[in-house]
Amino acid sequence: MRFRSSHQSPVTSRAGIAALALALACATASAQQYPARPVRFLVPNPPGGGTDLIARIVSHKVSEKWGTNLIVDNRPGAGGVIAVEVAAKAAPDGYTLLMGHFPLAISVILGKVSDPVRDFAPVTLLGTTQNVLVVNPSVPARSVKEFIAVARRMPGELRYATGGAGTAMHVSAELFGLLAGVSMTHIPYKGAGPALVDLMSGQVQASFPSVPAAAPHIKSGKVRALGVSGTTRSQVAPELPTIAEEGLAGYVAVQWYGVLVPQRTPRAIVERLNRDFAGVLGQPDTRSRLLDSGYDLAPDTTEAGFGRFIQNEIAKWGDVVRKTGIRAD
């Protein structure tokens, strides 16, 4: 019996090495030429909310850096699932980016969306922000404690607005109800903007939007802010206590925003995107604009750091989803 040798001839080995070198050279050249045309940035929310605002702040600066357009493409609906699925099916060429945000962790726990770990490659975390409990001025409560008392007197009667089932606003409200021992009725909308419109008109009584989305309406007096959802007070509204300070121990619900690309996007392009986005985030005017708008700066802008962050969020919120019975319809 004769066995075929598994060793390649020197000629074959040299050819393989040459092919690999050529492929690497092509990938490098592609990254150097990237982007050769406009890039779309899929945002899972309509205009007017906190997710849309940070996307536009950062995309404007990246467009200036590139000399070509990074176009914000709003694809709201289904708790963010629509935009995620469009991005998951897009060509992995760097010309379709996805704004990954808090609801993505909830949706994957519920099996409603493509897996951000399996189906996407992390580029960078852009920033985080707190939510804020806001009420229509007709609600007879000027503190979190008073609001809890009102909700307990009216089980199921208070209506709270969210940007959709499974969104950060929804999960924040459900965690609040769980810890406070109150029952409220969920009214979902297609984004924070429409939810806040109905809150201001009195169609609903409460909501948990991001600080950036709520800030203009708080300043105008159209809604009343009672408390923020982080571990420390907001730099934008330091007069507001945290909800935990008001007696709801353990209450923390922070939104996050970051850039993802379809899995199998060339490594050189992912590295280029990380370098360009991280560079923009480090610019003093960008940092100032983000802070003034109510965002906290990303503590880690590396690809690996963002990947770990997403995995931690999925693990953290799994227990809350099980306890509250949250569903992303």
Side-chain angles (χ1 to χ4, degrees):
M1 181 179 294
R2 299 178 62 187
F3 292 90
R4 180 177 297 176
S5 172
S6 61
H7 298 289
Q8 294 179 317
S9 69
V11 174
T12 304
S13 298
R14 286 196 296 272
I17 292 170
L20 177 60
L22 179 60
L24 291 172
C26 289
T28 301
S30 175
Q32 290 173 344
Q33 296 167 1
Y34 174 87
R37 64 179 189 273
V39 177
R40 64 173 176 167
F41 192 8
L42 290 167
V43 175
N45 300 77
T51 309
D52 177 70
L53 178 58
I54 191 171
R56 292 181 185 278
I57 290 172
V58 176
S59 64
H60 174 71
K61 299 298 292 184
V62 173
S63 291
E64 288 182 343
K65 184 179 184 69
W66 284 348
T68 189
N69 288 333
L70 174 56
I71 302 168
V72 174
D73 184 356
N74 298 92
R75 296 290 184 97
V81 171
I82 293 174
V84 174
E85 294 308 319
V86 170
K89 296 173 183 175
D93 56 7
Y95 287 92
T96 298
L97 315 182
L98 173 69
M99 172 66 85
H101 65 336
F102 181 98
L104 187 54
I106 304 301
S107 294
V108 74
I109 291 167
L110 299 172
K112 300 287 185 178
V113 71
S114 293
D115 190 324
V117 177
R118 182 194 65 219
D119 300 320
F120 292 93
V123 173
T124 186
L125 181 67
L126 296 177
T128 63
T129 187
Q130 300 191 47
N131 296 327
V132 54
L133 168 56
V134 290
V135 297
N136 183 275
S138 65
V139 175
R142 294 188 173 276
S143 70
V144 173
K145 290 179 180 177
E146 291 180 0
F147 179 76
I148 291 173
V150 171
R152 285 176 178 169
R153 290 197 303 268
M154 306 167 59
E157 293 184 37
L158 291 182
R159 294 151 57 92
Y160 71 90
T162 75
T167 61
M169 297 168 74
H170 181 204
V171 175
S172 297
E174 288 296 313
L175 179 59
F176 181 90
L178 177 70
L179 296 179
V182 299
S183 174
M184 300 180 289
T185 299
H186 178 211
I187 308 298
Y189 293 81
K190 289 186 176 181
L196 286 169
V197 168
D198 269 15
L199 176 65
M200 289 184 285
S201 71
Q203 298 298 312
V204 292
Q205 288 73 50
S207 189
F208 289 76
S210 67
V211 169
H217 310 302
I218 295 171
K219 291 176 182 176
S220 71
K222 292 179 180 178
V223 299
R224 181 185 302 136
L226 304 182
V228 293
S229 68
T231 56
T232 60
R233 295 193 177 199
S234 169
Q235 295 181 42
V236 176
E239 73 281 1
L240 286 176
T242 67
I243 291 172
E245 274 183 73
E246 287 281 283
L248 218 56
Y251 184 86
V252 179
V254 178
Q255 296 200 45
W256 52 269
Y257 314 90
V259 183
L260 298 166
V261 290
Q263 197 62 263
R264 299 184 308 282
T265 297
R267 181 82 198 126
I269 288 180
V270 175
E271 291 174 350
R272 168 71 189 274
L273 285 167
N274 173 266
R275 187 166 62 250
D276 290 347
F277 274 94
V280 161
L281 291 172
Q283 294 175 0
D285 57 340
T286 306
R287 294 167 65 90
S288 177
R289 177 82 189 278
L290 290 173
L291 289 170
D292 289 346
S293 298
Y295 299 98
D296 294 318
L297 302 176
D300 185 346
T301 58
T302 65
E303 301 161 47
F306 186 32
R308 288 191 299 270
F309 183 91
I310 293 173
Q311 292 176 331
N312 290 339
E313 282 290 287
I314 292 171
K316 169 185 173 180
W317 288 101
D319 187 51
V320 176
V321 168
R322 286 187 292 272
K323 287 181 178 178
T324 60
I326 291 170
R327 296 177 60 191
D329 296 324

